[in-house]
Structures are given as C-alpha cells and as structure tokens.
Amino acid sequence: MARYPSNLTLSPPKSQPMASLRGSAATVRLLHSASRVRLSLSSASSSLSISSSSSYSPSSLKCLQFSPLAPYIFKDQRSSMSTVAAASDPAQLKSAREDIKELLKSNSCHPILVRLGWHDAGTYNKNIEEWPRRGGANGSLRFDIELKHAANAGLVNALKLIQPIKDKYSGVTYADLFQLASATAIEEAGGPKIPMKYGRVDVSAPEECPEEGRLPAAGPPKPVDHLREVFYRMGLNDKEIVALSGAHTLGRSRPERSGWGKPETKYTKNGPGAPGGQSWTAEWLKFDNSYFKDIKQRKDDDLLVLPTDAALFEDPSFKVYAEKYAEDQEAFFKDYAEAHAKLSNLGAKFDPQEGIVLDGVAGEKSMAAKYSSGKRELSEVMKKKIRAEYKAIGGSPDKPLQSNYFLNIMITIAVLAFLASLLGNYVCF
C-alpha cells in the first residue's frame, strides 16, 4: 500500500495552468477545476501545492475526500483554510450572529450597525450590470476611501466594533458580516425577523469602491425628488422608500457628523452609549412604528424631523404608506422586513448563487431568493444529471417521451373492468 507523508504544505495559488501534488517519491500533475481556495499546512519534509491561474472555492475540494491523501490533508486541526471570493461558512455565520447579539447587549450599538449594512448596500446602481462597479452589498465600505465619504461619517466606529468578530470568523465575508449585523440589530431591537440570505462575495481592493454621492442626503433642496432619484436608482419603489425610512425609529443624528440635530436632548443626554445627539423617537433603541406617529404629530421639539422625514407625509404617494404604518405596526413590520431583505441583496454577487439560508424557516429562502440581483440557472452538473435521468427512461430533455399506447389501453381496460365489477355487485345487492 502506498504511504503518504503525514505533514503536507499547500502553498497559495500562483499563475500556473495545472495543479501539482509533490511528495518525497513522485510528482503527480492534475488539471485543475475552477475553484477559489487556498490551503496552508506546514511541514519541513515535503509539500503538496495546488496552484492555478484561477481562484479557488472549497466546494471544488470535494474530490479530495475520495483521495488517499484526504486523511493526511485534513487530519491536523492546526491547519488553516482561507477563502478568497467564496461563500461564507454557514457555521461561522451562525456563531458570528451570536457574537453580534452579545455586542449589541454590551454596547447598545443597534443604530450604527443598521446604518453600516445600509450604507454598504445603498450604493447600488441598477443601470450598471458589471460587478462590482454597480455597487451594492459587497463589503467595499471597509476601505478608508469609502469610509471617508461624507454620508459615511462616524461609520469607522461601526467597523471598529465589528472587526474583532471578522477576525474571529475569517470564513465570513465583510459583505455578509455587515448585512448580518444590520439584520440582527433590527431583530434584537424588537423588530421583525428579516428573511436574509448570505454568501455575498467581497470586493478585494479600494479601487473597486463606488464613487461618492450615491447615498441619500438628509436635507436636499427637493426632498421628495431626491428620495425618488436615489432609491429608484437602486430599484426600490415608493412603498419600500417609506418602509425603510421607518428604521429611523432607531438611533440619533449628531450635528458634528451630519450637520443635523441638537447636541443633546432629554432623551439622549444620558446615553446609553456615548451621550448626545438628537433622536427621532423617545425610545431610540426600540424598533416599532413610533417614527411615523411622531413625525405625523410633531408634538415634541426634542424629536428630530429631517426634510426627508417630513416629505413622507407631504407627498401624496408616500403619505399613503406613512399613514398606514402610523396606524398599523404589523403592516409596517411586514413591509419593512421585505424591503430590508431586498436592500441587503442589492448588487451582491452570491456564492453559491442561490445564497445561504441560516435558519431554514419556511418561506424564508424563497422570500430572500427573489431579491438576488444575480442571474440564476442550473449548473452544468445538474443539467447532465437531469439529462441522464431522462435518457434512463427512454426520453430526452429535448423531446417528450413517446406515449406507450399499449400500456394506456391495458390500464383503461383494467379500470373499466373494475368499475363493471363494482356496478354488478351493487345491482346484486
């Protein structure tokens, strides 16, 4: 029986057209399949390297489980795996979510985490097809060049809060982590369950960040026109604009960051978190429909109303939804959950293409799947499998099966005979 070294080294991919396995006795060269993974196991005695001009994905390593090398490659838990432009690991996503919940409990940072996810996704331009130039939920907000955009003032603090979780769970992309944090913050603040999916691919360089100016402004000259211009560009409609605006039920505006709001109010002077700023609602860490009620009534000068907030009750189309949400929190929660899920997927490139659903809640996968911006079709492997199954029963996906007339006649005769037998028994009885 052939023996393999107990320690192996898989070096990072380089630009070579083939993969190679090197041991102490021989070299085996293998044609690579498209993948996106780098493995790293250290050894002083021998090496196993996988290199290619393409990137790697963990799914393509399934072939190794049938190799005699598999026990040696994966037996040492000290080995490390890092993914490049690949799907997030579901187990790590779930663990990261629990850590986010603890972060929320200890820091009361719900509003800024919601904003982090929103601003990463909100740069999407539906008129640009190319990824990542189209913007959207791709993790680009982690780069300084985008963090320094005026609309992102203060979000460096959100990144600092979330970075230790990213360091702990290297199998989770920034794009997924930002959206996971945003949805979890809504849910932990008492909001609706967001039908999320994951598997977003990260951009890899600052050069891939969108240009400044794609996010909404707080006080534009024409608030209604501005809201429609920005959100229509993302592919959102009036109902979704109003529903998403309702997330201002969380958080505060700080004048030193946005130029809007009071330095402090009776609701914010004692925190929680860093004191100060002006909130839209009295309980600004609770997700409910208070935002719509308070804007409609405008009875408290300590509560913030931006020009874009007031526009929701001034524009006839917006007002229909704003009035509805002020009266019906359940309707608001339903529409908000759908709009948030849609926003979180804008512009994203998913791997796997259908995304990853963490909880398996009925209806959740189908709800989130329709918000993917990527085109989905059957893989070549699945197409071949279906074709083989058709051919096994004498057919083909390209043409319908021929009817078996003899079998149909026999079945008809049998059914008629059975009915005649029943009728005869009934008459005799």
Side-chain angles (χ1 to χ4, degrees):
M1 178 182 296
R3 299 191 62 184
Y4 297 89
S6 58
N7 293 313
L8 299 165
T9 298
L10 281 75
S11 62
K14 298 178 181 178
S15 297
Q16 297 178 3
M18 306 181 86
S20 64
L21 302 180
R22 292 188 181 90
S24 58
T27 298
V28 182
R29 298 182 69 80
L30 303 173
L31 288 170
H32 70 78
S33 60
S35 54
R36 301 182 180 88
V37 109
R38 286 196 299 241
L39 296 179
S40 175
L41 293 101
S42 298
S43 168
S45 60
S46 59
S47 69
L48 185 157
S49 67
I50 299 181
S51 58
S52 169
S53 58
S54 65
S55 54
Y56 291 104
S57 71
S59 61
S60 68
L61 293 178
K62 291 179 180 178
C63 60
L64 289 179
Q65 66 182 315
F66 302 108
S67 168
L69 285 171
Y72 299 97
I73 294 175
F74 298 107
K75 78 173 205 174
D76 192 343
Q77 292 184 352
R78 292 173 298 175
S79 64
S80 64
M81 177 180 289
S82 65
T83 60
V84 179
S88 295
D89 178 77
Q92 290 196 31
L93 279 165
K94 289 183 178 181
S95 297
R97 181 170 58 185
E98 296 307 309
D99 285 13
I100 291 170
K101 291 179 181 179
E102 292 303 315
L103 177 66
L104 292 166
K105 290 177 183 177
S106 60
N107 288 271
S108 300
C109 53
H110 304 68
I112 201 168
L113 292 189
V114 172
R115 185 168 166 241
L116 179 68
W118 274 40
H119 282 217
D120 193 46
T123 59
Y124 175 62
N125 186 339
K126 70 177 183 180
N127 301 312
I128 301 175
E129 185 175 351
E130 179 188 352
W131 183 93
R133 198 169 64 87
R134 65 194 182 203
N138 57 28
S140 63
L141 190 49
R142 72 187 189 272
F143 293 113
D144 286 343
I145 188 172
E146 188 170 345
L147 277 171
K148 291 178 180 178
H149 290 178
N152 293 328
L155 282 180
V156 63
N157 298 316
L159 188 61
K160 289 178 180 178
L161 286 170
I162 212 76
Q163 187 61 48
I165 299 177
K166 179 66 177 78
D167 294 340
K168 184 176 179 180
Y169 302 107
S170 60
V172 175
T173 62
Y174 278 99
D176 270 350
L177 187 61
F178 293 166
Q179 300 309 322
L180 177 66
S182 182
T184 303
I186 293 291
E187 294 167 7
E188 291 298 295
K193 176 71 175 176
I194 311 296
M196 298 290 291
K197 69 173 181 176
Y198 299 95
R200 295 169 187 81
V201 175
D202 278 343
V203 297
S204 57
E207 294 75 21
E208 295 176 312
C209 291
E211 73 278 5
E212 188 169 5
R214 293 193 184 186
L215 295 171
K222 297 181 179 180
V224 172
D225 292 343
H226 176 73
L227 286 173
R228 288 202 171 101
E229 178 184 356
V230 172
F231 285 94
Y232 282 11
R233 187 208 68 224
M234 299 183 208
L236 301 173
N237 57 35
D238 285 358
K239 181 175 77 171
E240 291 160 342
I241 292 172
V242 179
L244 290 171
S245 297
H248 278 152
T249 191
L250 298 178
R252 304 164 282 178
S253 177
R254 295 182 178 275
E256 67 272 19
R257 295 178 185 172
S258 67
W260 292 89
K262 298 178 179 180
E264 69 173 28
T265 69
K266 60 178 177 285
Y267 302 115
T268 65
K269 63 181 181 180
N270 296 318
Q278 186 176 12
S279 60
W280 284 265
T281 62
E283 295 183 86
W284 48 271
L285 288 177
K286 179 182 179 182
F287 194 95
D288 56 19
N289 66 339
S290 296
Y291 167 80
F292 297 104
K293 293 179 178 180
D294 292 335
I295 291 177
K296 182 179 180 179
Q297 296 171 357
R298 298 198 197 186
K299 293 182 178 180
D300 193 334
D301 290 339
D302 269 350
L303 296 181
L304 180 64
V305 179
L306 296 172
T308 46
D309 299 320
L312 302 183
F313 282 91
E314 294 170 356
D315 178 79
S317 178
F318 288 160
K319 186 176 181 180
V320 171
Y321 301 108
E323 293 277 6
K324 178 182 179 181
Y325 299 151
E327 299 297 326
D328 189 343
Q329 180 170 285
E330 185 177 348
F332 167 52
F333 274 25
K334 176 181 178 297
D335 291 348
Y336 179 85
E338 294 182 5
H340 186 122
K342 182 175 180 178
L343 174 68
S344 75
N345 292 348
L346 294 179
K349 180 167 70 173
F350 287 92
D351 184 4
Q353 205 169 43
E354 68 276 11
I356 301 167
V357 177
L358 296 184
D359 302 315
V361 178
E364 182 171 326
K365 184 173 182 180
S366 60
M367 176 70 73
K370 70 179 182 179
Y371 297 136
S372 172
S373 60
K375 296 178 181 179
R376 299 182 299 279
E377 60 178 4
L378 291 175
S379 67
E380 289 302 317
V381 173
M382 183 58 71
K383 289 178 181 177
K384 289 180 181 179
K385 183 177 179 181
I386 294 173
R387 185 174 294 275
E389 290 175 349
Y390 267 95
K391 289 182 177 180
I393 57 174
S396 164
D398 303 320
K399 61 181 180 179
L401 288 172
Q402 295 295 323
S403 297
N404 191 325
Y405 296 107
F406 178 75
L407 180 60
N408 291 341
I409 291 172
M410 293 301 295
I411 292 173
T412 302
I413 293 173
V415 171
L416 291 174
F418 177 70
L419 292 175
S421 175
L422 289 177
L423 184 60
N425 292 337
Y426 176 81
V427 172
C428 292
F429 179 78

